[in-house]
Amino acid sequence: MSVKNVVKVMNFHSLLRVDKSRRLAEQYFDTERELTKMINGIVYNRNLVLDKKTLVPNPKKPKLNIYIGNDYGFCGNFNSAITESLKKDQDNFKIIIGKKILYRDDKTILAINKEDFKDNLPKIEQIIYDAIRNMSYSEINVIYNHYYSVNNLSFVKACLFPVEFKEEENNNYTEDFVIETDINEMLVNLVSLYICYEIRIREANSNASENVMREGVTRESLKKIDEIETETKRVVRKQNKYHTFKKNIENYQRRNFSGNR
């Protein structure tokens, strides 16, 4: 397969993946909204006795930063800002997602390829559950390239924990519950699940950003290839004309030389 055909295939796949990633993120948004309602119903319910310190981290503890990059090329400087931020992050623990992010240090607790993200979700979920139960970190952040639109991508650092849920003005959450479990433990589990879905949303959004950038790079590459092919054809035509002209001159000279003789 020629280079041009390979680039065409990558360009086409990028367009498809942008829409797929966007739709996947929207599905996760639905679950995230339901989790938010459930958590608000517990945190702000008037009938539940809740330890308000359950989800208040120790500010003196380190942070957990989750970096989301990519696995493959044709993405321009997709990882440059992520890698730069990562190298400056010396004091905090890290989860690194993406084969193209090569940086590692002794505080990297998990490093996986982006295409293996789904297979490694149980590992990530366990890290998050343990972190929230034990209040291991002062913050949990995700650092990635955020997709807003085809023409608007931005490098962002989003704080996932501590979580600040806002009580809706029209809901007093006065419903009574029959609870047969530790309500604080239940809240920890729900918040952990909420954070895990936030990570899924950000990873899907990062995929959309990656493929938007790849589509742009491959589109420009196709233009360059077309320009090179056009120039090559022009040079070949010029050379052919020169060789034809030279041959005609030689034939003319040969005929004249034979006639004079």
Side-chain angles (χ1 to χ4, degrees):
M1 185 180 289
S2 68
V3 173
K4 185 175 183 179
N5 287 336
V6 171
V7 176
K8 279 184 176 180
V9 170
M10 294 187 72
N11 181 265
F12 178 70
H13 283 180
S14 298
L15 289 169
L16 293 179
R17 287 169 181 161
V18 169
D19 187 56
K20 181 180 178 181
S21 300
R22 189 168 49 199
R23 283 187 278 108
L24 184 60
E26 288 172 356
Q27 291 175 14
Y28 290 149
F29 273 129
D30 293 338
T31 304
E32 179 210 30
R33 278 192 291 268
E34 290 304 313
L35 283 170
T36 302
K37 290 179 183 178
M38 292 171 65
I39 294 168
N40 276 352
I42 293 172
V43 172
Y44 295 106
N45 191 276
R46 306 299 192 262
N47 297 319
L48 295 177
V49 179
L50 188 68
D51 181 3
K52 298 297 183 181
K53 295 181 181 179
T54 299
L55 298 176
V56 179
N58 183 347
K60 295 182 181 180
K61 290 194 174 183
K63 301 174 184 178
L64 173 61
N65 291 327
I66 303 167
Y67 292 87
I68 304 177
N70 68 314
D71 286 348
Y72 303 109
F74 283 100
C75 289
N77 61 346
F78 186 81
N79 288 320
S80 59
I82 296 172
T83 301
E84 184 179 348
S85 176
L86 185 56
K87 288 179 178 178
K88 294 177 181 177
D89 189 6
Q90 301 294 320
D91 301 324
N92 300 304
F93 291 90
K94 307 166 187 69
I95 293 175
I96 299 174
I97 302 170
K99 185 166 60 177
K100 286 289 185 178
I101 301 180
L102 303 177
Y103 182 84
R104 305 284 188 275
D105 61 19
D106 58 356
K107 291 186 180 295
T108 302
I109 58 178
L110 180 66
I112 59 173
N113 294 345
K114 198 170 189 178
E115 66 179 0
D116 297 329
F117 175 75
K118 289 183 180 179
D119 293 336
N120 283 276
L121 268 175
K123 291 182 182 179
I124 296 173
E125 290 169 351
Q126 190 62 54
I127 291 170
I128 299 301
Y129 288 148
D130 291 343
I132 301 304
R133 284 196 185 97
N134 301 320
M135 287 290 111
S136 305
Y137 306 107
S138 59
E139 289 182 16
I140 298 176
N141 302 297
V142 59
I143 296 96
Y144 68 108
N145 290 298
H146 188 88
Y147 169 87
Y148 294 99
S149 68
V150 173
N151 298 315
N152 187 5
L153 308 177
S154 180
F155 173 74
V156 301
K157 179 179 180 180
C159 182
L160 306 185
F161 181 81
V163 183
E164 293 186 8
F165 295 103
K166 296 181 180 179
E167 183 178 10
E168 297 177 16
E169 294 181 2
N170 297 328
N171 292 325
N172 294 318
Y173 300 109
T174 57
E175 299 91 344
D176 205 354
F177 294 94
V178 176
I179 302 294
E180 296 183 356
T181 186
D182 183 340
I183 188 62
N184 293 300
E185 178 67 16
M186 180 180 176
L187 180 59
V188 166
N189 279 284
L190 283 173
V191 169
S192 300
L193 187 60
Y194 168 85
I195 293 171
C196 289
Y197 266 93
E198 277 286 337
I199 294 171
R200 292 187 185 197
I201 289 169
R202 311 292 173 163
E203 190 272 339
N205 189 288
S206 172
N207 270 336
S209 297
E210 174 187 342
N211 283 288
V212 164
M213 192 169 288
R214 181 174 290 117
E215 192 280 329
V217 170
T218 52
R219 179 169 17 93
E220 288 302 313
S221 297
L222 287 171
K223 286 182 181 178
K224 291 293 183 183
I225 290 172
D226 286 338
E227 289 173 2
I228 291 171
E229 287 181 346
T230 300
E231 178 62 18
T232 300
K233 289 177 181 178
R234 188 190 70 79
V235 171
V236 170
R237 283 197 302 269
K238 185 176 180 180
Q239 289 175 343
N240 288 338
K241 286 181 180 178
Y242 171 76
H243 289 307
T244 300
F245 177 75
K246 184 179 178 182
K247 188 175 181 180
N248 289 336
I249 292 295
E250 289 174 351
N251 290 337
Y252 175 77
Q253 290 175 339
R254 196 177 298 116
R255 285 195 301 268
N256 284 344
F257 180 76
S258 299
N260 291 334
R261 205 170 48 171

